[in-house]
Amino acid sequence: MSGAGIGGLDMHAWLVRRLERGGHLEEVDRHALFALPLQRRFVAARTDLDGGQGLHLILSGLACRYETEPGGFRRIVSLYFPGDLCGSGSLFSFGRPGSVKTLSAGEVADISIHALHSLVEAHRGVERSLGWLTLIELGIAQRWLVNAGRDAERQIAHLLCEIVTRLRATGCRECEAFATGIRQAVIADITAISLVHVNRVLHALQDADRIRLVKGVITIPDLDRLAAFADFDPGYLHLPDQVGPSQLELGLLRGPSFPDGRNSVAL
Amino acid sequence: MSGAGIGGLDMHAWLVRRLERGGHLEEVDRHALFALPLQRRFVAARTDLDGGQGLHLILSGLACRYETEPGGFRRIVSLYFPGDLCGSGSLFSFGRPGSVKTLSAGEVADISIHALHSLVEAHRGVERSLGWLTLIELGIAQRWLVNAGRDAERQIAHLLCEIVTRLRATGCRECEAFATGIRQAVIADITAISLVHVNRVLHALQDADRIRLVKGVITIPDLDRLAAFADFDPGYLHLPDQVGPSQLELGLLRGPSFPDGRNSVAL
DNA sequence: CGCTTTGTTGAAAAGAGTCAAAGATCGTGG
DNA sequence: CCACGATCTTTGACTCTTTTCAACAAAGCG
């Protein structure tokens, strides 16, 4: 039961692969990363991840950073997919505002702030890579800002493109994301469009044959077409080379098995 | 003739002060920063700053990062005040999307990517501080995302609070920002609210006695009251301790003098 | 098999965008 | 010193997207 939602790689390898995209990891850095203590655990949907101060590596499932408004509304400001690092982000003296919670059941690997500090102190390349991840998250946030100025249909279409693209890069099947973590309410909380209208817009997108909507599960028959409609250009995500079908066929996609043997959702 | 829009400090001191907020600068780091070659220059309003690849330290005036949409609209995703660093952000292999341009005339100090790389290589504390600046910019972007979900009146009020607060932290008089860099069109491009509606909302805010609007210049009679209305909490800006009246009286606020002797706008 | 969560619909109201045009302001050059 | 042109601001009238309110249907889970 490897429970590897992220492709059969063990979690350290996944961590290395994530940070390596910064392009600056030395062999010693990689070794140190493999030696980093990771606390693996299962988490239910809608659970706050941020009890402590460390970072969390998402192994399977979906998480988000959100803030709760005075009115009680939840505003999601970041999405985290398998392979992403999230947390209070405190390499510095202050934590980040908001909280991190799961959107679906899944697995995470916790990195203690302690271990992280030692690692970073000894390995500059790792610190640099972490900074690079922050820069990417900034790029995404700013892309969302740009997006926020457009009509609901394009905005939601763009979001769907991003989700599918990031999901593909993890090696997971896209449909399952929509089946589990991405409720319409989540789309509403990200885009600040009312839930009712999200629903209507999704149906409009379906009527235009841009997405398919079956029992609440969204599928995208032609990503390029949707991307063209939404002006989606994946450059800002800085993903590694597309995961080819080869990887998709390698049985990478099994969902996590829960300790009790119950087999849960894939994403 | 110092032309110090940012408080009589020379530009190196200003740079150090900025990075120091990360809290990790050693004495050697500071020395290295003072030795960093800074190319000071005057820039007109509406000028692209990003010819090269380096960073720019704003000395006076206002700048922004923006992206141009397919439709031709400009969406501003970041504001830069005196003392802020901006640029392509490339400590890494890729640049940031979008461009940086000035919103008002002012002065900047250019840091070549070359000098920056050497500096950062030799001084970890500096690199860390830069990462910290990125994290702050991320926090601001995400705050803007949260903000984007609220009604226009609160959204604009919140933006005004942020502008005044950041401006005060630079030691500049707030009103002058509104007089020069912050056109209503800028507010529109940040908030994605139509220019016409921005105008109406500003008048509504004035009618509610939350701001004052004289000849297109916005003043805020009571920041606390406006902040309460907008749910503005400056924590996310991570500003240093408030600039006291003492600093405001020290003649810090003279605007830059242009080479031709013409005295330009203060901010 | 009842309960909770999610998805779907309709009708009415409000907020915001668009279009079009007229005042203001400011820098500039004559 | 004044006039001109470019940039900004302000207004009115109209349209339309999006929200809100209020139910109801479906699906998943214990």
Side-chain angles (χ1 to χ4, degrees):
Chain A
M1 272 320 87
S2 84
I6 51 175
L9 295 170
D10 87 300
M11 52 189 180
H12 286 95
W14 195 253
L15 179 60
V16 168
R17 185 173 146 190
R18 186 77 179 108
L19 290 174
E20 229 165 15
R21 280 199 238 150
H24 297 285
L25 286 191
E26 312 268 332
E27 194 54 37
V28 278
D29 297 331
R30 277 193 219 97
H31 273 297
L33 281 168
F34 270 102
L36 183 70
L38 292 179
Q39 182 72 34
R40 184 178 200 141
R41 68 182 219 258
F42 290 88
V43 279
R46 267 164 286 208
T47 310
D48 260 36
L49 276 186
D50 232 9
Q53 295 194 302
L55 289 183
H56 317 279
L57 173 67
I58 309 286
L59 296 173
S60 65
L62 214 57
C64 70
R65 173 176 293 279
Y66 68 98
E67 250 165 285
T68 309
E69 286 226 62
F73 306 111
R74 177 183 69 166
R75 298 299 330 273
I76 294 176
V77 295
S78 241
L79 280 180
Y80 301 110
F81 292 85
D84 286 338
L85 278 169
C86 57
S88 53
S90 301
L91 284 184
F92 305 98
S93 46
F94 62 90
R96 293 175 56 183
S99 329
V100 177
K101 77 152 64 154
T102 55
L103 291 171
S104 68
E107 284 176 289
V108 301
D110 295 323
I111 305 170
S112 81
I113 187 74
H114 226 88
L116 185 68
H117 267 130
S118 331
L119 176 67
V120 153
E121 210 53 55
H123 295 273
R124 234 183 133 162
V126 173
E127 182 171 9
R128 189 167 294 175
S129 288
L130 286 171
W132 171 78
L133 290 184
T134 306
L135 199 52
I136 291 189
E137 195 169 346
L138 173 59
I140 294 176
Q142 295 190 330
R143 190 70 192 70
W144 285 16
L145 277 174
V146 170
N147 222 345
R150 320 195 339 182
D151 56 285
E153 210 162 327
R154 257 167 261 267
Q155 196 180 343
I156 289 178
H158 191 283
L159 177 59
L160 296 181
C161 287
E162 176 179 323
I163 291 172
V164 170
T165 304
R166 289 174 72 177
L167 212 46
R168 277 192 186 166
T170 71
C172 298
R173 276 182 302 240
E174 58 250 46
C175 61
E176 293 174 308
F178 295 112
T180 57
I182 307 284
R183 312 260 82 124
Q184 294 186 4
V186 171
I187 296 177
D189 289 345
I190 292 173
T191 57
I193 295 168
S194 76
L195 179 53
V196 172
H197 202 239
V198 165
N199 182 273
R200 284 195 247 264
V201 167
L202 285 176
H203 280 277
L205 286 170
Q206 182 180 38
D207 292 346
D209 201 35
R210 302 208 158 91
I211 68 172
R212 220 154 281 158
L213 201 52
V214 184
K215 303 203 189 208
V217 178
I218 300 167
T219 349
I220 296 171
D222 184 348
L223 181 56
D224 288 340
R225 221 164 67 77
L226 188 64
F229 169 71
D231 295 307
F232 173 77
D233 171 358
Y236 72 99
L237 295 171
H238 293 284
L239 293 172
D241 300 334
Q242 205 72 309
V243 173
S246 51
Q247 287 194 50
L248 286 172
E249 291 162 7
L250 286 176
L252 306 180
L253 306 175
R254 213 138 352 112
S257 297
F258 274 63
D260 56 13
R262 160 171 61 97
N263 201 325
S264 170
V265 292
L267 178 93
Chain B
M1 247 333 68
S2 86
I6 50 176
L9 294 170
D10 88 301
M11 53 188 179
H12 285 95
W14 194 256
L15 180 60
V16 169
R17 185 172 147 190
R18 185 79 179 106
L19 290 173
E20 229 164 15
R21 281 200 238 150
H24 296 286
L25 286 192
E26 311 269 331
E27 195 53 36
V28 278
D29 297 331
R30 278 194 218 97
H31 274 296
L33 281 169
F34 270 101
L36 184 70
L38 291 179
Q39 182 72 33
R40 183 177 200 143
R41 68 182 220 258
F42 289 89
V43 279
R46 267 165 286 205
T47 310
D48 260 36
L49 274 187
D50 232 8
Q53 295 194 305
L55 289 183
H56 316 279
L57 174 66
I58 309 285
L59 297 174
S60 65
L62 214 58
C64 71
R65 172 175 293 279
Y66 69 97
E67 250 166 286
T68 308
E69 286 227 62
F73 306 109
R74 177 183 70 165
R75 298 300 329 275
I76 294 176
V77 295
S78 241
L79 280 181
Y80 302 111
F81 293 85
D84 286 338
L85 277 169
C86 58
S88 54
S90 299
L91 284 184
F92 306 99
S93 45
F94 62 90
R96 294 176 55 183
S99 328
V100 178
K101 76 152 65 155
T102 53
L103 291 172
S104 67
E107 284 177 289
V108 303
D110 294 324
I111 305 171
S112 83
I113 187 75
H114 226 86
L116 185 67
H117 267 129
S118 329
L119 175 68
V120 152
E121 210 52 55
H123 295 274
R124 235 186 132 161
V126 173
E127 181 170 9
R128 188 167 295 175
S129 288
L130 286 171
W132 171 79
L133 289 185
T134 306
L135 198 53
I136 291 190
E137 195 170 345
L138 173 60
I140 294 176
Q142 295 190 328
R143 191 67 192 75
W144 285 16
L145 276 174
V146 170
N147 221 346
R150 320 196 337 183
D151 56 285
E153 210 162 324
R154 254 167 262 267
Q155 197 180 342
I156 290 178
H158 192 281
L159 177 58
L160 295 181
C161 286
E162 177 179 321
I163 291 172
V164 170
T165 305
R166 289 174 72 178
L167 213 45
R168 277 191 184 167
T170 71
C172 300
R173 277 183 301 241
E174 58 250 46
C175 61
E176 293 174 307
F178 295 111
T180 59
I182 307 286
R183 313 259 82 124
Q184 294 185 8
V186 171
I187 296 177
D189 290 344
I190 292 173
T191 56
I193 295 169
S194 76
L195 179 53
V196 172
H197 199 50
V198 165
N199 183 272
R200 284 195 247 264
V201 167
L202 286 176
H203 281 277
L205 285 170
Q206 183 180 36
D207 291 347
D209 200 34
R210 302 208 157 92
I211 67 173
R212 220 155 283 161
L213 200 54
V214 183
K215 303 202 188 209
V217 178
I218 301 167
T219 348
I220 295 170
D222 183 348
L223 180 56
D224 288 341
R225 221 163 68 78
L226 187 64
F229 169 70
D231 295 308
F232 173 77
D233 171 358
Y236 71 100
L237 295 172
H238 293 285
L239 294 173
D241 299 334
Q242 204 72 310
V243 174
S246 49
Q247 287 194 49
L248 286 173
E249 290 162 5
L250 287 175
L252 306 180
L253 306 175
R254 213 136 354 111
S257 297
F258 274 65
D260 56 14
R262 161 171 60 95
N263 202 324
S264 171
V265 292
L267 176 91

